[in-house]
Amino acid sequence: MLADHIPSTAQPVGTRLCREVLPSVSLGREVELSILLPPGPVGSGPLPVLYLNDGQDLERLHLQATLDMLYASGALQPFVVVAPHANEQRVQEYGTAGHPDFNGRGSLADAYTEFVISELLPFAQARYHASADPALAVMAGFSLGGLSAVDMVWHYPEVFARAGAFSGSFWWRQRAVEAGYTPADRIMHGLVRARRVHASHRFWLQSGTLDERSDRNENGVIDSIEDCLDLIEELIRSGLDPQRALRYVQVEGGHHHPDTWGRVMPDFLCWAFGKEGGAGRQLAPLPVVRLQLDPHLAPEILLPTASAPARVVPLVLPPNENYVPQVAAATAFSPTSFRQPMTLTRPAEGDYLPYALGYINQIPANQDPREALRSQPQEIHAVFASLNEEQTEKPYADGKWSLKEMLLHQIDSERIFAYRALRFARGDSQDLHGFEQDDYVAHSNANARSVANLLAEYDAVRAATLALFDSFTEEQLGRRGTANGGPATVRALLYIIPGHERHHLNIIRERYLPIL
């Protein structure tokens, strides 16, 4: 069930919001809690309960208005929401308990799990009559909080039987992509492989087709969807009955953002707390769609309530309607109209300084780097579309760049690399000085500029870069010079520019977005 519209000004019909502060020994801090109680008298017995990570985001999710709407329509049985707030330690407290990722994130996930099991649950049961029956307890969350919820339910079925994950961070891995990553490095998938599913386990999993743009293995399925579908496969191998114990909802055009999660929230709530025979009848979930994998898996994921198996179709990522490429607007010509033919000969050793190989290897062997240059602006715009100005000015750790600073660094670097390519292609092989990136960022004033202003400059620079490289002949691509004290060919610079951007997109997804 996807809400068409949930007005933020909806008048409550009885849902009651309470605030609590729970001192935690496990976390060594006070944890703020948002509690949502059902409307009207609920009797003296224990209530079903939803433990929801990221309680600080309830307003952005319009959760109280959604509950009021569903209660008014008779869709839900009474239950209580207990939502602990995250703080600046979110990226450390959420994750997989005892299994930090390759960058050390999630180092406090075991302490957070201890807090939930030993402190939060007893508090909710004693003060708000939350049920201690695991069949009536649900744990859920968003992004990294969704990973945390699945991890807890998987390992503690005697406490809660059901888990919900909105755009769960199932990419969580023990090895970086550039350090030899393989799918076996994904931590939650390995934890599921290590044990059999519990008989009481139930999972609600959601992903959006615009959660991200990255596609590690270039198979046409974005990583967030593929990681989720791979986890579903592991759950089924571990013994989960998909007809009885699984609901997967794929939101076409859905973003990695509270707006999407809030709109799909009614589907999750009716799955978890729907009143039998109530107004919250659920449509069958969308099929699990795989490219280059077993297409027959899809009908198995459909619930038995589906009237007929859905037709399995290839997943086609819709364009980002908010992104209008600036190339055509900024120029009176089509760059492809004079694009020179180019072979896919990759730069060879001696065509670049050793550090640049990491960037060059970001471009797959069978991809034209100019096509990478054309596709990347949509990824950049998608990253910034779901963030506000304050978030883009926040570094992921002390002493690190903000997202605005990183974007301007990419713009500066692309300008410099393209300038080097121009000099060398024109037969100017004299040594060109390098630049100190940290000094450039320190003097960039990036955080004083708006995201829209920076993206407009990025689009203009990318249009100029494409026009330049599209004009080069094969012979010009082979010309060389020296820069930063070492060799560089025009062809190597063509690979370095999109490879450098891909490197930073990986950093954004792995280090910035989990905390934003």
Side-chain angles (χ1 to χ4, degrees):
M1 178 184 296
L2 191 64
D4 293 327
H5 178 62
I6 299 173
S8 58
T9 58
Q11 294 299 313
V13 293
T15 314
R16 292 162 287 165
L17 174 64
C18 305
R19 304 284 191 186
E20 296 276 5
V21 175
L22 179 60
S24 170
V25 175
S26 301
L27 295 176
R29 69 176 178 93
E30 292 185 335
V31 181
E32 186 175 351
L33 307 175
S34 290
I35 314 292
L36 283 167
L37 299 174
V42 294
S44 58
L47 286 169
V49 56
L50 169 62
Y51 297 99
L52 187 64
N53 284 329
D54 284 312
Q56 74 281 355
D57 284 338
L58 296 195
E59 290 185 7
R60 299 177 71 195
L61 295 161
H62 306 296
L63 182 59
Q64 191 167 9
T66 299
L67 287 169
D68 291 339
M69 176 189 71
L70 293 173
Y71 278 126
S73 67
L76 299 179
Q77 61 178 307
F79 71 101
V80 59
V81 178
V82 179
H85 293 211
N87 67 357
E88 66 278 0
Q89 290 294 314
R90 178 181 186 274
V91 75
Q92 299 298 334
E93 292 181 354
Y94 290 170
T96 47
H99 299 275
D101 85 332
F102 68 92
N103 207 31
R105 292 164 297 193
S107 61
L108 298 176
D110 50 351
Y112 184 73
T113 299
E114 178 67 21
F115 158 71
V116 171
I117 302 295
S118 301
E119 299 176 286
L120 182 64
L121 270 68
F123 172 84
Q125 291 162 9
R127 190 172 179 89
Y128 289 99
H129 305 291
S131 176
D133 182 352
L136 300 179
V138 182
M139 183 79 189
F142 314 92
S143 189
L144 197 52
L147 171 67
S148 170
V150 170
D151 179 60
M152 268 191 256
V153 171
W154 182 253
H155 290 101
Y156 294 92
E158 71 279 8
V159 176
F160 10 54
R162 291 176 289 168
F166 297 74
S167 300
S169 295
F170 300 126
W171 59 267
W172 197 248
R173 52 184 175 263
Q174 57 191 0
R175 194 193 311 269
V177 171
E178 62 271 18
Y181 161 85
T182 71
D185 290 315
R186 291 173 298 187
I187 295 173
M188 193 65 234
H189 299 70
L191 293 172
V192 170
R193 281 194 298 273
R195 59 188 294 175
R196 294 288 293 174
V197 69
H198 193 274
S200 65
H201 271 143
R202 304 287 186 273
F203 295 94
W204 183 98
L205 305 175
Q206 174 268 332
S207 58
T209 58
L210 295 180
D211 268 348
E212 62 176 326
R213 293 289 179 181
S214 182
D215 180 7
R216 288 184 304 261
N217 55 8
E218 301 292 332
N219 72 340
V221 181
I222 60 172
D223 293 339
S224 56
I225 289 179
E226 184 157 24
D227 291 336
C228 186
L229 299 185
D230 285 346
L231 183 65
I232 287 173
E233 290 184 3
E234 295 292 353
L235 288 168
I236 293 172
R237 290 191 190 103
S238 77
L240 189 77
D241 180 356
Q243 301 264 348
R244 182 180 59 87
L246 175 68
R247 182 170 177 82
Y248 171 66
V249 177
Q250 184 171 292
V251 181
E252 297 300 318
H255 288 269
H256 196 94
H257 191 272
D259 179 70
T260 293
W261 302 330
R263 289 177 182 276
V264 78
M265 181 65 71
D267 188 279
F268 166 71
L269 294 175
C270 289
W271 171 84
F273 304 102
K275 185 185 295 183
E276 188 172 351
R281 185 185 65 83
Q282 291 183 301
L283 300 174
L286 296 178
V288 172
V289 180
R290 301 307 298 267
L291 297 185
Q292 302 178 4
L293 289 171
D294 183 4
H296 301 294
L297 177 64
E300 296 177 14
I301 300 301
L302 290 174
L303 295 183
T305 55
S307 57
R311 182 172 63 92
V312 180
V313 296
L315 175 64
V316 178
L317 296 182
N320 183 344
E321 296 177 357
N322 296 322
Y323 169 64
V324 179
Q326 299 296 312
V327 174
T331 59
F333 55 82
S334 168
T336 59
S337 64
F338 63 88
R339 186 188 305 175
Q340 299 289 347
M342 171 186 151
T343 65
L344 286 179
T345 305
R346 296 176 71 83
E349 187 175 354
D351 289 349
Y352 48 82
L353 286 167
Y355 82 90
L357 182 60
Y359 299 144
I360 293 170
N361 285 342
Q362 294 283 341
I363 307 303
N366 61 347
Q367 184 178 25
D368 184 331
R370 293 180 297 187
E371 295 310 315
L373 288 171
R374 285 181 170 81
S375 65
Q376 284 176 339
Q378 198 162 359
E379 293 186 66
I380 291 291
H381 279 258
V383 165
F384 284 90
S386 60
L387 302 176
N388 58 38
E389 298 289 335
E390 182 181 359
Q391 288 174 310
T392 59
E393 294 164 14
K394 180 179 179 180
Y396 70 85
D398 291 341
K400 301 298 182 181
W401 298 341
S402 70
L403 281 176
K404 286 185 178 180
E405 289 172 331
M406 181 179 287
L407 178 58
L408 192 50
H409 162 70
Q410 291 177 199
I411 294 170
D412 289 349
S413 300
E414 182 168 332
R415 274 197 169 107
I416 291 170
F417 292 147
Y419 172 72
R420 292 173 181 174
L422 171 66
R423 294 280 295 265
F424 301 158
R426 301 293 189 255
D428 184 349
S429 59
Q430 63 181 295
D431 184 36
L432 302 179
H433 292 297
F435 70 104
E436 176 47 60
Q437 61 182 23
D438 288 322
D439 290 345
Y440 273 46
V441 169
H443 293 87
S444 70
N445 202 36
N447 287 334
R449 297 172 58 180
S450 69
V451 169
N453 181 267
L454 288 166
L455 288 173
E457 181 179 355
Y458 167 85
D459 288 333
V461 170
R462 180 53 54 91
T465 299
L466 279 166
L468 177 67
F469 280 102
D470 280 342
S471 72
F472 290 152
T473 65
E474 192 72 22
E475 189 269 334
Q476 287 173 319
L477 289 169
R479 290 177 183 169
R480 68 178 54 239
T482 57
N484 201 23
T489 63
V490 177
R491 186 184 301 276
L493 289 162
L494 171 56
Y495 277 80
I496 288 169
I497 292 173
H500 175 257
E501 184 159 308
R502 173 62 56 200
H503 163 75
H504 281 290
L505 280 166
N506 289 336
I507 291 176
I508 289 171
R509 275 186 285 270
E510 294 173 358
R511 303 180 190 177
Y512 286 84
L513 296 186
I515 68 169
L516 295 178

